[in-house]
Amino acid sequence: RYPDVLLVDFEGRKRKFGRRHNSCPNSPTYRQYSTRMASKLAERYKNHPALLLWHVNNEYGLRCYCDNCEQAFRVWLKRRYGSLDALNAAWNTRFWGHTFYDWDEIVLPSLLSEHLSARDVDQTAFQGISLDYDRFMSDSLLGTYLDEYHAIKTIIPDAVVTTNLQSNGAYKPLDYFKWAPHLDIAALDCYPTNDMPMSVV
């Protein structure tokens, strides 16, 4: 019913229904309904005696490359740099003729534009835009988390709300230093291998 909710992958393909992490964090429809769902769940379970904490989503980190993200990225860049001159200087856009003269010239760094390999999203011909897109996407995903966080807190002010971080806290797709203040407790995913000593785990 709401195709703008679906994620567009690094190769420019719009996903169909299925699998988890299949939503765009900059879809207004997704943001509306995820917040509404969090509110309804909080209302339904606010007095449940077994409720200890709220865990929002699971393993945030996928990037989306849709039109909503492209428009939101330009807005994020305008706030970050203030002017195209400042952006061009920060990104050293004179190199390889990348200079931007209009905000609408900025397209997402994906396999359709700046990236060199379908197997490695970090292989880019233009590091400045790719790094800022990672920062932007982390902020976008944090925004979706905060929508649900605040929806729960509005109904249950003393609720304990968290989401799960991944690896050792240095998970590249998200800026955990920005996320940490918004977790009432820290939750960490740890995936040891079968032969890993327990002392390491």
Side-chain angles (χ1 to χ4, degrees), residues 58-61 163-177 186-192 196 200-201:
N58 180 53
E59 296 182 337
Y60 286 98
T163 191
N164 47 333
L165 309 182
Q166 296 183 67
S167 76
N168 61 2
Y171 178 62
K172 186 173 179 186
L174 300 180
D175 181 351
Y176 283 158
F177 295 97
L188 177 66
D189 285 3
C190 184
Y191 295 104
M196 188 177 287
V200 175
V201 178

mmCIF file of all heavy atoms in Angstrom, residues 58-61 163-177 186-192 196 200-201:
data_model
loop_
_atom_site.group_PDB
_atom_site.id
_atom_site.type_symbol
_atom_site.label_atom_id
_atom_site.label_comp_id
_atom_site.label_asym_id
_atom_site.label_seq_id
_atom_site.Cartn_x
_atom_site.Cartn_y
_atom_site.Cartn_z
ATOM 1 N N ASN A 58 15.840 -3.548 15.710
ATOM 2 C CA ASN A 58 16.873 -4.559 15.912
ATOM 3 C C ASN A 58 18.008 -4.340 14.920
ATOM 4 O O ASN A 58 17.786 -4.314 13.715
ATOM 5 C CB ASN A 58 16.290 -5.960 15.701
ATOM 6 C CG ASN A 58 17.317 -7.054 15.906
ATOM 7 O OD1 ASN A 58 17.976 -7.105 16.933
ATOM 8 N ND2 ASN A 58 17.487 -7.899 14.914
ATOM 9 N N GLU A 59 19.197 -4.149 15.451
ATOM 10 C CA GLU A 59 20.398 -4.035 14.629
ATOM 11 C C GLU A 59 20.251 -3.028 13.489
ATOM 12 O O GLU A 59 20.340 -3.355 12.313
ATOM 13 C CB GLU A 59 20.807 -5.405 14.084
ATOM 14 C CG GLU A 59 21.196 -6.382 15.170
ATOM 15 C CD GLU A 59 21.644 -7.728 14.630
ATOM 16 O OE1 GLU A 59 21.276 -8.091 13.501
ATOM 17 O OE2 GLU A 59 22.378 -8.419 15.361
ATOM 18 N N TYR A 60 20.034 -1.792 13.866
ATOM 19 C CA TYR A 60 20.011 -0.727 12.865
ATOM 20 C C TYR A 60 21.324 -0.716 12.071
ATOM 21 O O TYR A 60 22.363 -1.069 12.597
ATOM 22 C CB TYR A 60 19.893 0.635 13.543
ATOM 23 C CG TYR A 60 18.546 0.989 14.106
ATOM 24 C CD1 TYR A 60 18.270 0.821 15.454
ATOM 25 C CD2 TYR A 60 17.563 1.536 13.296
ATOM 26 C CE1 TYR A 60 17.045 1.195 15.988
ATOM 27 C CE2 TYR A 60 16.330 1.913 13.818
ATOM 28 C CZ TYR A 60 16.076 1.741 15.165
ATOM 29 O OH TYR A 60 14.872 2.106 15.680
ATOM 30 N N GLY A 61 21.255 -0.258 10.817
ATOM 31 C CA GLY A 61 22.498 -0.093 10.086
ATOM 32 C C GLY A 61 22.416 -0.125 8.576
ATOM 33 O O GLY A 61 23.327 0.334 7.909
ATOM 34 N N THR A 163 18.023 0.077 22.223
ATOM 35 C CA THR A 163 18.119 -0.763 21.035
ATOM 36 C C THR A 163 19.490 -1.423 21.086
ATOM 37 O O THR A 163 20.334 -1.034 21.889
ATOM 38 C CB THR A 163 17.921 0.021 19.723
ATOM 39 O OG1 THR A 163 17.771 -0.910 18.645
ATOM 40 C CG2 THR A 163 19.090 0.946 19.448
ATOM 41 N N ASN A 164 19.689 -2.414 20.246
ATOM 42 C CA ASN A 164 20.941 -3.162 20.350
ATOM 43 C C ASN A 164 22.007 -2.619 19.400
ATOM 44 O O ASN A 164 21.802 -2.497 18.213
ATOM 45 C CB ASN A 164 20.718 -4.662 20.116
ATOM 46 C CG ASN A 164 19.865 -4.969 18.915
ATOM 47 O OD1 ASN A 164 19.026 -4.182 18.486
ATOM 48 N ND2 ASN A 164 20.060 -6.138 18.345
ATOM 49 N N LEU A 165 23.151 -2.309 19.998
ATOM 50 C CA LEU A 165 24.332 -1.942 19.237
ATOM 51 C C LEU A 165 25.006 -3.230 18.772
ATOM 52 O O LEU A 165 24.739 -4.307 19.287
ATOM 53 C CB LEU A 165 25.279 -1.112 20.098
ATOM 54 C CG LEU A 165 24.665 0.097 20.814
ATOM 55 C CD1 LEU A 165 25.733 0.857 21.578
ATOM 56 C CD2 LEU A 165 23.942 1.009 19.838
ATOM 57 N N GLN A 166 25.885 -3.107 17.793
ATOM 58 C CA GLN A 166 26.535 -4.292 17.249
ATOM 59 C C GLN A 166 28.039 -4.221 17.443
ATOM 60 O O GLN A 166 28.616 -3.147 17.506
ATOM 61 C CB GLN A 166 26.231 -4.421 15.749
ATOM 62 C CG GLN A 166 24.762 -4.643 15.459
ATOM 63 C CD GLN A 166 24.516 -4.824 13.989
ATOM 64 O OE1 GLN A 166 24.932 -5.809 13.400
ATOM 65 N NE2 GLN A 166 23.833 -3.873 13.390
ATOM 66 N N SER A 167 28.655 -5.367 17.477
ATOM 67 C CA SER A 167 30.102 -5.569 17.588
ATOM 68 C C SER A 167 30.655 -4.903 18.835
ATOM 69 O O SER A 167 30.026 -4.876 19.875
ATOM 70 C CB SER A 167 30.826 -5.126 16.312
ATOM 71 O OG SER A 167 30.915 -3.726 16.227
ATOM 72 N N ASN A 168 31.820 -4.314 18.731
ATOM 73 C CA ASN A 168 32.508 -3.785 19.900
ATOM 74 C C ASN A 168 32.287 -2.285 20.091
ATOM 75 O O ASN A 168 33.067 -1.620 20.741
ATOM 76 C CB ASN A 168 34.007 -4.072 19.790
ATOM 77 C CG ASN A 168 34.618 -3.404 18.569
ATOM 78 O OD1 ASN A 168 33.921 -2.705 17.830
ATOM 79 N ND2 ASN A 168 35.898 -3.603 18.355
ATOM 80 N N GLY A 169 31.240 -1.756 19.493
ATOM 81 C CA GLY A 169 30.979 -0.332 19.616
ATOM 82 C C GLY A 169 31.601 0.488 18.501
ATOM 83 O O GLY A 169 31.450 1.695 18.455
ATOM 84 N N ALA A 170 32.300 -0.154 17.593
ATOM 85 C CA ALA A 170 32.921 0.552 16.476
ATOM 86 C C ALA A 170 32.287 0.108 15.160
ATOM 87 O O ALA A 170 32.952 -0.046 14.153
ATOM 88 C CB ALA A 170 34.420 0.288 16.454
ATOM 89 N N TYR A 171 31.000 -0.118 15.177
ATOM 90 C CA TYR A 171 30.262 -0.556 13.995
ATOM 91 C C TYR A 171 30.134 0.615 13.031
ATOM 92 O O TYR A 171 29.502 1.624 13.329
ATOM 93 C CB TYR A 171 28.894 -1.068 14.447
ATOM 94 C CG TYR A 171 27.964 -1.515 13.365
ATOM 95 C CD1 TYR A 171 28.283 -2.582 12.538
ATOM 96 C CD2 TYR A 171 26.742 -0.880 13.191
ATOM 97 C CE1 TYR A 171 27.413 -3.006 11.554
ATOM 98 C CE2 TYR A 171 25.863 -1.302 12.209
ATOM 99 C CZ TYR A 171 26.206 -2.362 11.395
ATOM 100 O OH TYR A 171 25.341 -2.784 10.415
ATOM 101 N N LYS A 172 30.754 0.493 11.869
ATOM 102 C CA LYS A 172 30.925 1.646 10.985
ATOM 103 C C LYS A 172 29.629 2.332 10.521
ATOM 104 O O LYS A 172 29.595 3.560 10.449
ATOM 105 C CB LYS A 172 31.757 1.244 9.763
ATOM 106 C CG LYS A 172 32.075 2.443 8.906
ATOM 107 C CD LYS A 172 33.019 2.137 7.792
ATOM 108 C CE LYS A 172 33.257 3.382 6.970
ATOM 109 N NZ LYS A 172 34.047 3.139 5.808
ATOM 110 N N PRO A 173 28.568 1.604 10.197
ATOM 111 C CA PRO A 173 27.389 2.318 9.677
ATOM 112 C C PRO A 173 26.723 3.297 10.647
ATOM 113 O O PRO A 173 25.955 4.138 10.213
ATOM 114 C CB PRO A 173 26.427 1.189 9.307
ATOM 115 C CG PRO A 173 27.305 0.025 9.019
ATOM 116 C CD PRO A 173 28.435 0.152 10.010
ATOM 117 N N LEU A 174 26.990 3.192 11.947
ATOM 118 C CA LEU A 174 26.332 4.080 12.906
ATOM 119 C C LEU A 174 27.354 4.782 13.787
ATOM 120 O O LEU A 174 28.361 4.198 14.179
ATOM 121 C CB LEU A 174 25.371 3.285 13.799
ATOM 122 C CG LEU A 174 24.246 2.540 13.105
ATOM 123 C CD1 LEU A 174 23.391 1.817 14.136
ATOM 124 C CD2 LEU A 174 23.389 3.458 12.252
ATOM 125 N N ASP A 175 27.053 6.027 14.127
ATOM 126 C CA ASP A 175 27.888 6.796 15.043
ATOM 127 C C ASP A 175 27.374 6.556 16.456
ATOM 128 O O ASP A 175 26.495 7.270 16.949
ATOM 129 C CB ASP A 175 27.826 8.277 14.682
ATOM 130 C CG ASP A 175 28.698 9.142 15.582
ATOM 131 O OD1 ASP A 175 29.221 8.631 16.598
ATOM 132 O OD2 ASP A 175 28.837 10.339 15.280
ATOM 133 N N TYR A 176 27.913 5.531 17.114
ATOM 134 C CA TYR A 176 27.420 5.156 18.428
ATOM 135 C C TYR A 176 27.659 6.238 19.477
ATOM 136 O O TYR A 176 26.991 6.264 20.502
ATOM 137 C CB TYR A 176 28.048 3.844 18.872
ATOM 138 C CG TYR A 176 27.441 2.625 18.202
ATOM 139 C CD1 TYR A 176 28.151 1.442 18.127
ATOM 140 C CD2 TYR A 176 26.163 2.655 17.655
ATOM 141 C CE1 TYR A 176 27.601 0.312 17.522
ATOM 142 C CE2 TYR A 176 25.609 1.553 17.050
ATOM 143 C CZ TYR A 176 26.320 0.374 16.984
ATOM 144 O OH TYR A 176 25.782 -0.727 16.399
ATOM 145 N N PHE A 177 28.595 7.133 19.240
ATOM 146 C CA PHE A 177 28.800 8.222 20.184
ATOM 147 C C PHE A 177 27.602 9.168 20.179
ATOM 148 O O PHE A 177 27.273 9.766 21.196
ATOM 149 C CB PHE A 177 30.094 8.972 19.873
ATOM 150 C CG PHE A 177 31.318 8.118 20.069
ATOM 151 C CD1 PHE A 177 31.909 7.470 18.999
ATOM 152 C CD2 PHE A 177 31.852 7.929 21.338
ATOM 153 C CE1 PHE A 177 33.019 6.660 19.184
ATOM 154 C CE2 PHE A 177 32.963 7.126 21.529
ATOM 155 C CZ PHE A 177 33.554 6.479 20.451
ATOM 156 N N ALA A 186 22.578 0.318 27.840
ATOM 157 C CA ALA A 186 23.274 -0.151 26.639
ATOM 158 C C ALA A 186 22.937 -1.618 26.399
ATOM 159 O O ALA A 186 22.888 -2.417 27.333
ATOM 160 C CB ALA A 186 24.777 0.010 26.803
ATOM 161 N N ALA A 187 22.695 -1.951 25.157
ATOM 162 C CA ALA A 187 22.469 -3.337 24.758
ATOM 163 C C ALA A 187 23.429 -3.626 23.612
ATOM 164 O O ALA A 187 23.554 -2.836 22.679
ATOM 165 C CB ALA A 187 21.028 -3.545 24.310
ATOM 166 N N LEU A 188 24.120 -4.744 23.695
ATOM 167 C CA LEU A 188 25.155 -5.056 22.716
ATOM 168 C C LEU A 188 24.966 -6.457 22.166
ATOM 169 O O LEU A 188 24.784 -7.412 22.916
ATOM 170 C CB LEU A 188 26.537 -4.958 23.378
ATOM 171 C CG LEU A 188 27.737 -5.335 22.512
ATOM 172 C CD1 LEU A 188 27.920 -4.347 21.368
ATOM 173 C CD2 LEU A 188 29.003 -5.419 23.345
ATOM 174 N N ASP A 189 24.998 -6.580 20.851
ATOM 175 C CA ASP A 189 25.018 -7.889 20.205
ATOM 176 C C ASP A 189 26.453 -8.383 20.147
ATOM 177 O O ASP A 189 27.354 -7.636 19.795
ATOM 178 C CB ASP A 189 24.493 -7.795 18.768
ATOM 179 C CG ASP A 189 22.998 -7.635 18.726
ATOM 180 O OD1 ASP A 189 22.389 -7.547 19.795
ATOM 181 O OD2 ASP A 189 22.446 -7.590 17.625
ATOM 182 N N CYS A 190 26.635 -9.630 20.465
ATOM 183 C CA CYS A 190 27.960 -10.230 20.404
ATOM 184 C C CYS A 190 27.815 -11.588 19.736
ATOM 185 O O CYS A 190 27.029 -12.422 20.185
ATOM 186 C CB CYS A 190 28.531 -10.376 21.813
ATOM 187 S SG CYS A 190 30.219 -11.008 21.836
ATOM 188 N N TYR A 191 28.524 -11.801 18.653
ATOM 189 C CA TYR A 191 28.421 -13.038 17.895
ATOM 190 C C TYR A 191 29.759 -13.774 17.908
ATOM 191 O O TYR A 191 30.526 -13.702 16.954
ATOM 192 C CB TYR A 191 27.995 -12.755 16.451
ATOM 193 C CG TYR A 191 26.609 -12.179 16.336
ATOM 194 C CD1 TYR A 191 26.413 -10.831 16.074
ATOM 195 C CD2 TYR A 191 25.502 -12.994 16.491
ATOM 196 C CE1 TYR A 191 25.133 -10.304 15.957
ATOM 197 C CE2 TYR A 191 24.220 -12.472 16.388
ATOM 198 C CZ TYR A 191 24.047 -11.132 16.119
ATOM 199 O OH TYR A 191 22.778 -10.621 16.013
ATOM 200 N N PRO A 192 30.060 -14.484 18.989
ATOM 201 C CA PRO A 192 31.326 -15.224 19.015
ATOM 202 C C PRO A 192 31.269 -16.426 18.072
ATOM 203 O O PRO A 192 30.203 -16.972 17.809
ATOM 204 C CB PRO A 192 31.428 -15.685 20.472
ATOM 205 C CG PRO A 192 30.017 -15.734 20.953
ATOM 206 C CD PRO A 192 29.282 -14.651 20.202
ATOM 207 N N MET A 196 35.699 -19.751 19.633
ATOM 208 C CA MET A 196 36.243 -18.616 20.381
ATOM 209 C C MET A 196 36.277 -18.941 21.878
ATOM 210 O O MET A 196 35.277 -19.397 22.428
ATOM 211 C CB MET A 196 35.388 -17.373 20.137
ATOM 212 C CG MET A 196 35.968 -16.097 20.721
ATOM 213 S SD MET A 196 34.954 -14.651 20.314
ATOM 214 C CE MET A 196 35.340 -14.457 18.580
ATOM 215 N N VAL A 200 37.429 -14.528 25.791
ATOM 216 C CA VAL A 200 37.365 -13.454 24.802
ATOM 217 C C VAL A 200 35.948 -12.898 24.742
ATOM 218 O O VAL A 200 35.723 -11.697 24.586
ATOM 219 C CB VAL A 200 37.824 -13.946 23.414
ATOM 220 C CG1 VAL A 200 37.642 -12.866 22.377
ATOM 221 C CG2 VAL A 200 39.251 -14.417 23.474
ATOM 222 N N VAL A 201 34.975 -13.784 24.853
ATOM 223 C CA VAL A 201 33.577 -13.402 24.769
ATOM 224 C C VAL A 201 33.237 -12.508 25.938
ATOM 225 O O VAL A 201 32.625 -11.517 25.866
ATOM 226 C CB VAL A 201 32.653 -14.637 24.746
ATOM 227 C CG1 VAL A 201 31.192 -14.212 24.706
ATOM 228 C CG2 VAL A 201 32.980 -15.511 23.580
#
